[in-house]
Amino acid sequence: MDWTQHRLYGIVVGAVLGALLGAILWSFGTGSRMGPWVTLLLLGAVIANLVVSQRMNAAIDRTVVQRAQAMAAGQVPGEPAPARVHRVYGRPLAQSATMLWPGTPEPARLALLHVLPAQGAPRSVYAVVPSRYGLTRGTPAAVVLDPAYPDIAVFDDRAPVETLAAIGADPRWLTERVPSMFTRQGGLGTLLASVGGLLFAALLGAILH
């Protein structure tokens, strides 16, 4: 997936929230009457961020489900890979797609998995998984990687118990470092923007004071 929009949005939000937080600290520190107003602006920014984030998450969900359905139906070939569940998101989905059940209308969740591809470095991928499987953090899994979308995979529920046990016992989980998704969504740029916004507000407040 193209994370450019997510990175830019994360950096902008970081800068805005940092500046507003700095303005609040300056206002209450100097006894300025602007403090409550800036606090309201910060609350508005947080609410707006939640709304936009929900829309972005919904777009990710749709893309993952669409690609999973295409791969599970055999329209797109993929690369099998061992995986381990890193996170299962709480927001419910109404559509699922696995290698055994392509395009199944049933309760599901979006999962973030760490994978060890045969070709390439370890990475994180999204997959939509039926809720009935009850996957939790650390659960070994088998997936099929999407060749066109490196961040997407299909949950492979054809894998036998012996294969899953071997995946869970793979010593590489203790030695291989998997880059965080936070890097693709802003990462250090977001943190620096937050600090920069905070310092800018503090400096501007000192000048005005």
Side-chain angles (χ1 to χ4, degrees):
M1 288 184 287
D2 186 0
W3 293 100
T4 302
Q5 182 180 2
H6 292 77
R7 283 195 293 269
L8 291 176
Y9 178 74
I11 291 172
V12 170
V13 169
V16 170
L17 293 180
L20 290 175
L21 179 60
I24 289 176
L25 295 177
W26 172 81
S27 298
F28 286 105
T30 59
S32 171
R33 296 180 179 180
M34 293 179 60
W37 296 105
V38 178
T39 302
L40 287 176
L41 286 175
L42 177 61
L43 179 60
V46 170
I47 294 175
N49 178 53
L50 289 175
V51 173
V52 175
S53 296
Q54 288 297 324
R55 292 181 177 178
M56 287 185 169
N57 290 336
I60 291 175
D61 294 343
R62 288 193 298 271
T63 302
V64 175
V65 170
Q66 290 169 0
R67 294 299 300 180
Q69 289 176 346
M71 293 185 65
Q75 300 173 7
V76 180
E79 172 196 347
R84 190 166 66 171
V85 178
H86 179 67
R87 179 180 179 185
V88 178
Y89 295 90
R91 56 184 184 271
L93 302 177
Q95 285 285 332
S96 177
T98 70
M99 294 306 294
L100 277 180
W101 303 96
T104 307
E106 64 171 309
R109 291 287 189 274
L110 187 73
L112 182 67
L113 302 100
H114 289 171
V115 298
L116 301 173
Q119 304 294 331
R123 66 177 187 264
S124 298
V125 297
Y126 287 118
V128 58
V129 181
S131 300
R132 56 186 165 86
Y133 283 119
L135 296 188
T136 57
R137 182 182 176 92
T139 302
V143 298
V144 178
L145 302 175
D146 189 329
Y149 290 76
D151 306 312
I152 296 178
V154 183
F155 181 66
D156 191 354
D157 42 2
R158 303 168 301 181
V161 175
E162 295 78 11
T163 298
L164 296 178
I167 291 174
D170 193 325
R172 290 179 297 172
W173 296 120
L174 300 176
T175 58
E176 295 288 348
R177 179 181 177 275
V178 180
S180 170
M181 270 291 194
F182 181 57
T183 302
R184 304 177 193 176
Q185 299 171 347
L188 182 59
T190 298
L191 297 178
L192 292 177
S194 300
V195 174
L198 181 65
L199 294 177
F200 173 78
L203 179 60
L204 181 61
I207 293 175
L208 295 176
H209 187 65

